[in-house]
Amino acid sequence: ASSVLDVFLYFKDSYLPIMPSIRPQVLNDVFQQAADQARQKLPALTQNQQVARLYRNGLKVLSSWAIDRDIFNEEATKLRARFDAERGCNPGKALRLLREGEDELFSYTHPDPYRNPVMPGGSKFMRNPPLPMDVCFPDGNYPKDAPNYEINPDWSKATPENGRAGTGYVLVDFGKKNME
């Protein structure tokens, strides 16, 4: 009778760990329909807005990797110089640089990015959420100083204009640590 350790020692030279392939998770139809209702329609962004978002996301990824503020400032200056060096290039090159930048950002993404503690994915997220007004005042007689707006999970005002509560629902994805 051989133990598991004996079998492992026998096969240790030829043992190669088999990593599971990364594939999209398939959700059932009901959950997919609910998620589609909660997701907001993404606005069409101009090229300048896409570049600004790429730069901002690059700084966020950099803040996850560089804990020391001096190192962060030095690397952020280098990142800004890279963006400024390509300012004013032709649209074809700009589109290529934008795609390459998104690919580079994806490759540098931190496995456990820094999150603000009170935002989705943070340690204090929804620790003390405000009660709905109909729970506080079941008879419907709201005081004059009571807020007449709803609050999103990130504590911003929920309005149709800000895009987060246009449908009345907000999907908080704890796997990706974001709101959709």
Side-chain angles (χ1 to χ4, degrees):
S2 62
S3 68
V4 175
L5 181 61
D6 293 333
V7 172
F8 177 75
L9 290 175
Y10 179 74
F11 289 109
K12 76 175 183 175
D13 295 330
S14 62
Y15 175 73
L16 293 174
I18 299 172
M19 301 300 291
S21 62
I22 298 174
R23 57 184 173 164
Q25 185 177 2
V26 179
L27 304 174
N28 65 17
D29 293 336
V30 175
F31 185 79
Q32 189 66 43
Q33 290 172 0
D36 289 340
Q37 286 180 352
R39 284 193 183 102
Q40 301 297 314
K41 185 176 137 182
L42 297 175
L45 299 176
T46 65
Q47 189 169 359
N48 287 341
Q49 289 173 327
Q50 290 176 349
V51 171
R53 284 191 179 187
L54 179 64
Y55 177 68
R56 183 170 182 234
N57 289 335
L59 289 176
K60 286 182 179 182
V61 167
L62 181 61
S63 72
S64 294
W65 287 106
I67 298 171
D68 186 27
R69 198 65 181 170
D70 293 332
I71 296 173
F72 172 81
N73 288 338
E74 181 181 331
E75 295 298 321
T77 304
K78 291 178 187 176
L79 181 65
R80 180 61 188 213
R82 286 179 63 189
F83 274 83
D84 287 340
E86 301 297 338
R87 176 174 276 188
C89 63
N90 63 15
K93 184 178 180 183
L95 186 62
R96 180 182 58 82
L97 289 172
L98 188 62
R99 299 295 174 249
E100 289 174 1
E102 289 171 350
D103 292 340
E104 185 178 351
L105 179 70
F106 180 75
S107 69
Y108 285 128
T109 300
H110 196 280
D112 189 21
Y114 172 77
R115 298 284 183 209
N116 189 337
V118 297
M119 297 304 250
S123 59
K124 291 183 177 181
F125 175 65
M126 295 298 281
R127 187 172 286 181
N128 295 312
L131 293 173
M133 294 300 286
D134 56 348
V135 172
C136 295
F137 305 100
D139 56 356
N141 294 330
Y142 302 131
K144 292 179 183 178
D145 60 343
N148 57 356
Y149 55 85
E150 293 184 18
I151 297 175
N152 285 321
D154 65 352
W155 298 92
S156 62
K157 288 184 182 180
T159 62
E161 294 83 28
N162 70 6
R164 291 203 175 107
T167 60
Y169 301 100
V170 177
L171 178 66
V172 178
D173 187 349
F174 287 100
K176 291 189 282 185
K177 297 184 178 179
N178 70 354
M179 293 187 335
E180 295 181 0

